[in-house]
Amino acid sequence: MATFFRRKAAAVTLGVLALTLAGGGIAVAQPATKAPAEVAQPGARLSGATGQPPVTAAEAKQARAALKASLAPPASGSVAWAVVASDGTLLQHSANVVSSTRYGTGQYQVLLDYSVVGKAYQATIGTNDQFNVPPAGEIAVAPRNQTPNGVFVQTYSSSGSVSNKPFHLFVAN
């Protein structure tokens, strides 16, 4: 009985393979239209968010200077962190964080004194007041374009529009 099922399974597999090849391979259906805005991720539906601002020559120079000033990158398993106000002011930070800048509504850059390429970043909306009750909203974090020691953070209101929010940034080494 087991031999019968084994032969039947082999025949079915061979038949499916033959039909697939005869039919021109396997086709994957592609959606004809883009997903509606209400189903897309918040960053995709925002008209005000156009990506990261370009890096100016002065910012590139500042980033290179910060890299040269590094004593040593943090040891593996350690972290760098920063608490940034909604206006871009660096409120608290670990030793390797150099500066923070607000570019426009909800767009921030945090510079460190070592390359963060290949590191893990996490950001959350938060303040440094004694009760630390953060405002509602959303946040996204990414490597800063053309700046190996920079992290780009973008904050949003709960409705998904770009908005200035204070945040905590964490970089795992």
Side-chain angles (χ1 to χ4, degrees), residues 74-94:
S76 181
S78 64
V79 298
W81 56 271
V83 179
V84 180
S86 60
D87 65 357
T89 304
L90 190 58
L91 299 173
Q92 296 173 315
H93 59 89
S94 63

Side-chain angles (χ1 to χ4, degrees), residues 50-119:
T50 58
Q52 296 186 22
V55 177
T56 66
E59 290 169 343
K61 184 177 178 181
Q62 179 189 15
R64 283 191 301 274
L67 276 174
K68 290 178 184 175
S70 176
L71 301 174
S76 181
S78 64
V79 298
W81 56 271
V83 179
V84 180
S86 60
D87 65 357
T89 304
L90 190 58
L91 299 173
Q92 296 173 315
H93 59 89
S94 63
N96 294 100
V97 176
V98 175
S99 66
S100 64
T101 306
R102 184 173 70 96
Y103 288 107
T105 305
Q107 295 184 326
Y108 305 89
Q109 169 184 282
V110 177
L111 276 182
L112 292 92
D113 65 357
Y114 64 97
S115 175
V116 294
V117 174
K119 307 293 185 193

Side-chain angles (χ1 to χ4, degrees), residues 127-150:
T127 63
N128 73 336
D129 65 12
Q130 75 183 68
F131 301 110
N132 197 13
V133 179
E138 301 173 13
I139 192 164
V141 63
R144 178 71 169 116
N145 287 341
Q146 303 172 350
T147 309
N149 58 327

Side-chain angles (χ1 to χ4, degrees), residues 33-47 138 156 158-160:
T33 60
K34 292 185 177 182
E38 61 271 5
V39 216
Q41 291 184 353
R45 70 173 179 249
L46 299 172
S47 58
E138 301 173 13
Y156 307 91
S158 293
S159 65

Side-chain angles (χ1 to χ4, degrees), residues 9-36:
V12 168
T13 303
L14 209 56
V16 168
L17 180 61
L19 287 172
T20 301
L21 292 175
I26 299 173
V28 177
Q30 296 292 327
T33 60
K34 292 185 177 182

